[in-house]
Amino acid sequence: MAPELAQPEKVNVLIVGQMGRLAYEALLFALSFRRNITNNRFRLFVAEPRPGPKWNTDPAIRPEPLREMITAQGATIVPFESVHFGRDYPYGNKIEALFALPKGEPFVFFDTDTLVTGDLGDVPFDFSKPSASLRVEGTWPQIELYGPGYTDIWKSLYDRFGLDFESSLDLDQPDEYWRRYLYFNAGFFYFSCPHVFGTSFLEMALSIRADPPRELVCQQLTPWLDQIALPLVIHKFGGGRDALPEGYLDGKTTVHYRNMPLLYARESDAVVDLLEDISAPNPVKRLLKDYEPFKRMIYQNRGHKVRALFDRDHLPSREQPIRQKIKKNGFWMV
């Protein structure tokens, strides 16, 4: 049996919050975090972009009672500068927000549309070996007829940054099948230092955006840029697809629900019960009802109408058919 990993005294958990959807999702995340985290080693930070030229409006979390309710759950709101991304590529928030965390302390980043469903203290993190979410479909690259294949496209990126391509491959998967190549959803990722990780993440993303290898000529970089750079960063620091045992994140400890219709369509009864329990108190309800998808799905019972459309023991393997069925029945909201 492998020896237990020594766990760090502090772990910083990071999400991004700003005006609109992310502010309301941040409150749900904070409520679920407070409900399930029993170990005070884990500290929640909500990174908030500062206003500036990369935003056409002030992105601060508001209204003020919503902001106060988030901090009442024990979260610390920390500002960060949008130097390279901002409104034109908000997915870049997760890269620039890393620099708002303390240097040299391990971190876990989560997309804000996530619920904490168990105790993060039970997750056997090895922060020296980063990893990210494998709840992912083959969204990038999209192979074009007569264009470069998966191997040529991914190898060009590894070569760009001086990384060993061959050691990133899953040789149990067939050649030119997307799962053979290191690819993650950026819904969570972790490492021993946010500034070290963030520096490489930023440099790689900016390099790919400004001067993509010629093998990427047929490929869309938006909105996939973060997920193109992420496996390169993880591979650079010695992590990979097997760095974290299955069943914890995107499993019994966290759920990346993406939006309310999908949560009700495919997540377990326990997740729905948690959602409805933490959102039930009147002070919380008064705030969350201001966001239309939460009002309709949680408080006006549309979520259970979505739920009745699906057999969760026999869900489609891909997300698109689930989305299409929800839309066909008039329940899609984002």
Side-chain angles (χ1 to χ4, degrees), residues 246-286:
E246 291 183 24
Y248 289 96
L249 305 188
D250 289 334
K252 64 184 178 181
T253 312
T254 65
V255 167
H256 185 197
Y257 59 86
R258 300 181 190 270
N259 62 39
M260 278 295 128
L262 285 174
L263 186 153
Y264 276 99
R266 64 186 180 182
E267 303 303 344
S268 69
D269 290 347
V271 171
V272 173
D273 289 346
L274 170 66
L275 167 69
E276 296 183 348
D277 192 29
I278 62 176
S279 60
N282 282 330
V284 174
K285 183 177 180 179
R286 282 195 294 270

Side-chain angles (χ1 to χ4, degrees), residues 141-158:
Q142 293 295 308
I143 304 304
E144 300 291 338
L145 188 64
Y146 306 121
Y150 285 99
T151 295
D152 289 339
I153 290 169
W154 279 114
K155 188 174 186 304
S156 73
L157 290 164
Y158 282 78

Side-chain angles (χ1 to χ4, degrees), residues 71-120:
T71 58
Q73 311 314 310
T76 300
I77 297 176
V78 291
F80 70 93
E81 300 289 346
S82 299
V83 179
H84 302 283
F85 299 110
R87 184 178 67 92
D88 291 341
Y89 188 68
Y91 300 96
N93 278 348
K94 66 184 65 179
I95 302 175
E96 297 192 285
L98 293 172
F99 299 99
L101 290 180
K103 290 182 180 180
E105 295 181 5
F107 76 93
V108 189
F109 170 86
F110 290 103
D111 271 351
T112 315
D113 51 355
T114 298
L115 291 177
V116 180
T117 54
D119 195 339
L120 289 172

Side-chain angles (χ1 to χ4, degrees), residues 133-171:
S133 175
L134 290 171
R135 192 177 187 180
V136 64
E137 297 178 2
T139 48
W140 194 93
Q142 293 295 308
I143 304 304
E144 300 291 338
L145 188 64
Y146 306 121
Y150 285 99
T151 295
D152 289 339
I153 290 169
W154 279 114
K155 188 174 186 304
S156 73
L157 290 164
Y158 282 78
D159 290 348
R160 160 72 61 88
F161 301 109
L163 303 173
D164 180 55
F165 171 66
E166 297 296 329
S167 61
S168 74
L169 300 175
D170 181 352
L171 299 180

